[in-house]
Amino acid sequence: MSLARRTIDAFLGLLFPWNFLLVSATCLPKTILRLLRERKFAELLSPSRLKEAWFSDLWGGIAGPNIRRDAAVRIIPLLQGRATKGAVVDEQVSPGLAGTVIEVGAGSGLWVDMYSEIAEVRAGSGLWVDMYSEIAEVRAEPDGAARRRKVGSSAAVDGPITRVYGIEPNVNQHPALRRAIAKAGLEDVYRIVPVGIEDLDDATKWDGVVEKGSVDCIVSILCLCSIPDPEKNIRELYQYLKKGGRWYIYEHVRCNNSWYMKAYQRLLNVFWPHFIGGCLLCRQTEKTLREAGSWEKIDVAQPVTEPWYQVVPHRLGVFTK
Ligand SMILES: C[S@@+](CC[C@H](N)C(=O)[O-])C[C@H]1O[C@@H](n2cnc3c(N)ncnc32)[C@H](O)[C@@H]1O
């Protein structure tokens, strides 16, 4: 690639987050008009509820689907056990999603269909599922057995997925989340937990219970940046995992590659949380997870394709308890 091309790419990459803030800013008047139309005056008058409604419109309508389109090439392989050292690989290198799952910050249900495709295997319905293509290319197995397969660059899943708890405190997102669950045919598997993770074990806040030490997998996709008191709550969530359980992450973290990128990210972070639903850019989420408890294995890294000018750098991978 020529120097001019690389310079333009870096310039656009550095500017990209400001464009995102602009998109969010233009969404606010639409949210206000919608709330007026729907006569939801209490939400309009409460800054925190207005912020939730605004974020919900931004994420569900504009930002989320774009992120899903761009990040699916990493996240789907991650959940299939095909991500290692920040890279997606053809062969399965670790177990995929299975059993009882907690999805932290489920949002509008952008990723719900992934569970459905894995759950097909659980049903023992004799179906083969190609998640990577994202088109559920479902074929009947000759002997009716649910089994692993590899097709092209797609890889095996380790179903069954028996239960998913989708933790989502922002009730504005629930209608879209419910639609995603219904569309995926997961009403019997996927349960919305309408509280923040800090209240997961509070029986007065929701009418269910998840036992500590009972969860096979935790999935966190771009949400640990928004939770309160991350050290305490991530440590708490760690306790829900069984021994051998896996925590799959795709999260953005604090820049640590150069002083100018750190400074630039801090500057951006002055505005970012106000426009992006309280999301904080400078969290050290990987470090917090590493320190949450003892791990048998950690295979987490920055995606290898991310350049030096990535103002919102990610961590991709799996913590195994
Ligand atoms: C950036 S969105 C990501 C949503 C989803 N994971 C996705 O990728 O589309 C972050 C989500 O975390 C949720 N969240 C905020 N505070 C939370 C908390 N205390 N516990 C669990 N989720 C929380 C927000 O409501 C929001 O839906």
Side-chain angles (χ1 to χ4, degrees):
M1 202 191 291
S2 72
L3 181 62
R5 183 70 248 169
R6 273 180 296 164
T7 309
I8 291 170
D9 282 354
F11 184 67
L12 293 177
L14 288 167
L15 282 186
F16 171 78
W18 300 98
N19 182 50
F20 195 41
L21 294 188
L22 188 65
V23 170
S24 176
T26 59
C27 186
L28 178 59
K30 292 180 202 156
T31 299
I32 293 173
L33 284 175
R34 177 178 67 76
L35 294 176
L36 279 171
R37 237 187 357 259
E38 294 171 5
R39 300 182 165 277
K40 293 188 170 162
F41 302 120
E43 276 180 54
L44 272 172
L45 294 173
S46 155
S48 63
R49 291 179 67 189
L50 174 60
K51 222 169 175 176
E52 284 189 349
W54 174 19
F55 179 73
S56 179
D57 287 351
L58 172 72
W59 199 261
I62 312 164
N66 285 338
I67 289 173
R68 154 106 203 189
R69 193 197 55 217
D70 296 343
V73 289
R74 290 172 184 164
I75 292 175
I76 293 173
L78 167 72
L79 301 181
Q80 292 174 320
R82 292 196 302 112
T84 180
K85 301 186 179 86
V88 167
V89 292
D90 283 343
E91 292 299 310
Q92 187 175 13
V93 290
S94 58
L97 212 55
T100 300
V101 177
I102 286 181
E103 181 180 8
V104 187
S108 54
L110 279 186
W111 302 99
V112 164
D113 55 338
M114 296 183 309
Y115 304 111
S116 145
E117 291 174 12
I118 297 173
E120 296 279 6
V121 179
R122 167 188 63 90
S125 54
L127 302 176
W128 279 358
V129 184
D130 184 354
M131 283 172 52
Y132 190 67
S133 69
E134 284 216 83
I135 300 160
E137 175 206 31
V138 179
R139 297 187 203 145
E141 267 266 356
D143 60 2
R147 66 174 69 166
R148 299 174 172 202
R149 74 172 184 121
K150 291 191 173 74
V151 172
S153 57
S154 82
V157 292
D158 289 276
I161 287 183
T162 46
R163 164 64 82 197
V164 184
Y165 294 101
I167 303 181
E168 182 46 65
N170 182 348
V171 293
N172 293 282
Q173 313 241 46
H174 290 182
L177 181 53
R178 255 184 241 110
R179 279 196 298 277
I181 294 166
K183 190 167 170 211
L186 281 182
E187 290 95 333
D188 295 338
V189 176
Y190 198 109
R191 165 133 199 225
I192 299 176
V193 180
V195 296
I197 57 166
E198 62 280 13
D199 292 325
L200 186 56
D201 66 350
D202 186 339
T204 64
K205 299 257 171 82
W206 72 292
D207 62 344
V209 65
V210 184
E211 299 290 346
K212 290 195 169 156
S214 71
V215 171
D216 297 284
C217 297
I218 295 177
V219 175
S220 65
I221 302 173
L222 304 174
C223 59
L224 299 179
C225 49
S226 310
I227 62 167
D229 202 346
E231 281 77 18
K232 175 173 175 283
N233 285 314
I234 288 175
R235 237 187 355 258
E236 186 76 9
L237 260 179
Y238 170 90
Q239 293 174 33
Y240 284 88
L241 273 181
K242 284 177 185 167
K243 181 98 188 89
R246 301 175 294 284
W247 190 328
Y248 298 80
I249 69 156
Y250 181 67
E251 294 286 350
H252 63 77
V253 293
R254 183 153 110 185
C255 274
N256 60 10
N257 53 342
S258 60
W259 68 265
Y260 45 89
M261 285 307 295
K262 283 182 203 168
Y264 186 51
Q265 190 189 50
R266 285 214 179 141
L267 169 70
L268 188 61
N269 194 47
V270 173
F271 308 97
W272 191 267
H274 303 293
F275 288 81
I276 317 290
C279 163
L280 292 165
L281 287 179
C282 302
R283 284 204 168 158
Q284 295 184 286
T285 300
E286 181 188 348
K287 179 171 179 287
T288 309
L289 271 154
R290 282 179 181 270
E291 292 169 359
S294 66
W295 298 103
E296 189 188 291
K297 186 177 165 205
I298 299 175
D299 186 349
V300 172
Q302 180 169 14
V304 289
T305 49
E306 288 190 346
W308 64 267
Y309 51 81
Q310 186 85 21
V311 199
V312 187
H314 295 90
R315 288 297 178 273
L316 173 84
V318 188
F319 290 83
T320 306
K321 187 167 174 180

